[in-house]
Amino acid sequence: MKIEEGFQQAIPELLNGFSEDIFLPSLLKRILPREFHGEIARDLERLGRDINGSIRAIGLLADSSPTLTQYSQWGHRIDTLHTSEGWRKLKALAVTEGLVSHNYNDTRQQYGEYSRIYAFAKTLLFVAEGRVVGCPISMTDGCARVLELHGTEEMKHAIYDRLVSSDPSLAFTAGQFMTERPGGSDLSLTETTARPLDANANEKEMTKTGAKYLLDGFKWFSSATDSEVALALARTGDPALGTRSLSLFLLPLRLPLPTDQTPTPSGVLARRDILVDGKFPENNGITIHRLKSKIGTHSLPTAELSLTNSLAYLVGPLNGGIKTISTVLQITRVHSAFHSVGSLARCLNIARSFANVRKIEGGKKALRDVPLHVSSLACVAVTYRAILGFAFGVVHLLGQTETPSPSSSSSSSPPSIQARFRLLNPTLKAFAAFHCVPAMEECMAALGGQGYMEENAIGRLIRDALVEKIWEGTENVLALDLLRASAPARSDGSEPITHWTRWAEGILEVAARKRINDREDGDEDK
């Protein structure tokens, strides 16, 4: 028999990741004010179509792993990083869609605390075919927020404006260089050092944000190595002080930086095809030793690299690097959770699509009508709905911390919002990483043998999502961070957990009043 003969399985048609999702439309309708909901929902429905169409086609071009050319034919060290055409296009699309820019500037002014809801809803959808482009996007988001809070006017003009741009020809992305060989989450033994560029500079000049330093050291994991800038920790004091002698620096990966009129190079570290002020950009004392061979996230360039007299700019107070970079970590952990739940959303979409067309019992019944099969997917759906609701609750708190507004309610006061966000953020990240991958495996099993095939993407999504059990903190690290977040505030001695319990008690009180009112109105069963 020829393959074209006999039974032909109908091809599952993927559902719109927004309009046909089991929870996202109703969740956003509840969270977003009416004046914002319609416009945002229409844009998300459009993006859901594009994800299954043009963006999916581009994603297939991004499956090639990056490569590194360390030496030229003349024996010169060049460290040229090559990424796939699909990866570069996905980064450009993420910029155009506003995955970073929607959190800042005009969109924040328009939507206020709900701008984060908008941006992360698009981020959730983009995960489906994004090939972990959310990694550089998350660090770009974090870097932008740090520069917004701590950067000089020059940094904001030269760097921040391009980090939050929605024009891919001008936008920058940012990396994050923290992990070193002595420890991953433990930064106390950081070996990278920073010394003032001007050895004769006085103490006042050395401690100003924007002060120029030279960095020397070795970074063991540097994700998004193809970015234009990175945030890096380096030691500026006595090593015996551990993390208390670490400072945060803004590190250009190439010099000179592109000017306002120079398009942003993308995908290659060393360039010889553009001029900036009459000069070819050179690696900023950065030597790439090798690219990491990873279980997943194959499209994303992750490297081991050394810094030798690399020019960098102090961000925030000298020896206050841990506190300054904590802003980045709080944002990237939210992105991490959305990568987990976005991957689960796609896997559930694939399983539901398959159940619509796969027939059993002699072709008489679709899987979607089989109670046992529906029960298995329902268990996955419960996990998905729980984590998605949790995730958007945390995102809303993040938006409120960035756009505080006066309120008579103690549960809506800035200290309460900040305390609850700080408590729930590591919890969300840990829960999402822990629960999403097992649920994705159930989606794989729901397709039978076809679920184990690479073509349907569930395998890739699982491999990529596994990184979230490690990146930005394992469950144990996050548990320790939760304990730190629970400690009484130094300013007034208030306990963060009290802010959460008061908020929860307020919710229960409102629910109880509503139930009493329903009884009085005879609507108890509604």
Side-chain angles (χ1 to χ4, degrees):
M1 180 185 291
K2 295 181 179 179
I3 186 67
E4 295 83 5
E5 298 174 347
F7 174 77
Q8 300 292 314
Q9 173 63 53
I11 299 174
E13 183 175 345
L14 287 169
L15 307 172
N16 186 299
F18 173 69
S19 60
E20 295 178 281
D21 186 85
I22 61 172
F23 188 37
L24 185 58
S26 60
L27 177 63
L28 294 187
K29 188 174 183 179
R30 177 170 61 82
I31 295 175
L32 293 171
R34 183 175 299 176
E35 63 267 27
F36 298 155
H37 175 263
E39 180 181 0
I40 291 175
R42 286 189 293 273
D43 189 34
L44 294 175
E45 185 170 7
R46 186 272 312 163
L47 179 58
R49 292 193 301 271
D50 290 349
I51 289 291
N52 290 340
S54 58
I55 296 177
R56 188 182 187 198
I58 293 170
L60 294 173
L61 300 175
D63 286 331
S64 300
S65 297
T67 59
L68 172 65
T69 302
Q70 292 180 305
Y71 293 92
S72 73
Q73 70 181 96
W74 309 110
H76 296 167
R77 190 68 184 256
I78 56 174
D79 286 344
T80 301
L81 177 63
H82 307 275
T83 56
S84 67
E85 178 186 3
W87 173 258
R88 297 193 297 274
K89 286 186 175 181
L90 286 173
K91 285 179 65 177
L93 277 169
V95 168
T96 303
E97 290 291 345
L99 302 194
V100 174
S101 63
H102 278 6
N103 299 302
Y104 301 90
N105 301 341
D106 294 343
T107 309
R108 184 193 285 173
Q109 292 179 8
Q110 179 179 359
Y111 296 111
E113 66 191 57
Y114 300 100
S115 61
R116 281 283 178 189
I117 299 289
Y118 187 11
F120 272 97
K122 299 188 85 168
T123 297
L124 181 80
L125 298 182
F126 209 84
V127 168
E129 297 294 342
R131 299 314 194 272
V132 203
V133 78
C135 174
I137 289 300
S138 71
M139 292 183 285
T140 302
D141 189 359
C143 183
R145 182 61 176 159
V146 164
L147 294 188
E148 183 180 41
L149 293 174
H150 302 285
T152 64
E153 289 304 314
E154 184 179 4
M155 286 179 179
K156 292 178 181 179
H157 175 70
I159 308 295
Y160 170 82
D161 285 349
R162 297 185 79 148
L163 292 173
V164 301
S165 173
S166 58
D167 182 352
S169 69
L170 295 174
F172 281 0
T173 56
Q176 181 177 297
F177 299 169
M178 292 199 302
T179 305
E180 300 192 5
R181 289 171 293 185
S185 299
D186 180 8
L187 300 170
S188 62
L189 296 178
T190 293
E191 296 176 318
T192 299
T193 60
R195 66 184 190 280
L197 177 65
D198 182 359
N200 298 317
N202 58 46
E203 184 176 352
K204 183 177 180 181
E205 290 297 317
M206 288 170 50
T207 58
K208 286 197 315 184
T209 290
K212 296 180 180 179
Y213 279 72
L214 296 177
L215 272 53
D216 288 273
F218 195 93
K219 296 298 182 180
W220 190 235
F221 278 92
S222 60
S223 292
T225 318
D226 58 332
S227 296
E228 285 68 47
V229 296
L231 289 175
L233 286 173
R235 193 167 300 285
T236 48
D238 185 354
L241 294 175
T243 58
R244 290 175 294 164
S245 60
L246 295 179
S247 299
L248 183 63
F249 294 91
L250 180 66
L251 173 70
L253 272 65
R254 312 172 192 84
L255 289 175
L257 282 169
T259 65
D260 291 343
Q261 289 75 39
T262 309
T264 301
S266 177
V268 184
L269 186 55
R271 300 288 294 206
R272 286 293 183 272
D273 56 350
I274 62 169
L275 289 170
V276 179
D277 293 335
K279 300 177 182 178
F280 290 115
E282 298 282 351
N283 291 354
N284 181 18
I286 297 173
T287 304
I288 303 178
H289 289 273
R290 75 180 188 112
L291 297 178
K292 295 288 193 181
S293 179
K294 300 166 292 182
I295 291 174
T297 67
H298 293 157
S299 302
L300 169 72
T302 305
E304 301 167 11
L305 52 84
S306 59
L307 308 175
T308 306
N309 292 330
S310 300
L311 179 65
Y313 303 87
L314 180 66
V315 180
L318 191 70
N319 298 325
I322 295 298
K323 184 176 181 180
T324 307
I325 204 171
S326 65
T327 299
V328 180
L329 299 180
Q330 297 306 320
I331 289 174
T332 53
R333 282 177 175 172
V334 179
H335 280 274
S336 169
F338 269 79
H339 178 216
S340 295
V341 72
S343 299
L344 175 55
R346 188 58 161 186
C347 291
L348 183 56
N349 185 327
I350 294 169
R352 291 172 61 212
S353 302
F354 180 76
N356 287 336
V357 298
R358 182 63 171 175
K359 302 288 182 68
I360 63 170
E361 296 182 8
K364 298 177 182 178
K365 181 182 289 188
L367 280 177
R368 68 185 179 195
D369 299 321
V370 178
L372 187 58
H373 189 82
V374 172
S375 175
S376 297
L377 291 186
C379 290
V380 175
V382 169
T383 299
Y384 170 64
R385 291 171 72 101
I387 297 177
L388 187 67
F390 189 2
F392 273 103
V394 172
V395 166
H396 194 188
L397 288 173
L398 174 60
Q400 289 174 311
T401 66
E402 295 174 340
T403 55
S405 57
S407 172
S408 59
S409 170
S410 60
S411 65
S412 300
S413 66
S416 174
I417 292 168
Q418 182 63 49
R420 284 184 284 136
F421 172 72
R422 188 64 185 86
L423 283 170
L424 295 176
N425 193 15
T427 309
L428 168 66
K429 195 272 184 184
F431 271 46
F434 182 80
H435 288 288
C436 284
V437 168
M440 294 163 67
E441 293 170 351
E442 290 299 315
C443 293
M444 174 184 282
L447 272 70
Q450 286 291 354
Y452 200 63
M453 300 298 104
E454 281 288 345
E455 292 93 334
N456 67 48
I458 293 180
R460 171 180 57 79
L461 289 165
I462 289 175
R463 287 195 301 272
D464 289 351
L466 280 170
V467 74
E468 304 304 352
K469 293 181 72 68
I470 301 167
W471 189 59
E472 300 297 30
T474 63
E475 292 158 26
N476 288 346
V477 169
L478 294 166
L480 294 173
D481 188 48
L482 179 60
L483 288 177
R484 285 191 293 270
S486 304
R490 293 180 181 178
S491 57
D492 57 7
S494 63
E495 295 187 4
I497 196 70
T498 303
H499 290 292
W500 185 83
T501 55
R502 287 175 180 170
W503 169 81
E505 288 167 355
I507 297 295
L508 294 174
E509 183 180 341
V510 170
R513 283 203 305 266
K514 184 178 186 304
R515 184 169 180 81
I516 291 172
N517 291 337
D518 287 346
R519 284 177 177 174
E520 292 176 349
D521 295 337
D523 296 334
E524 185 176 355
D525 295 330
K526 289 186 178 181

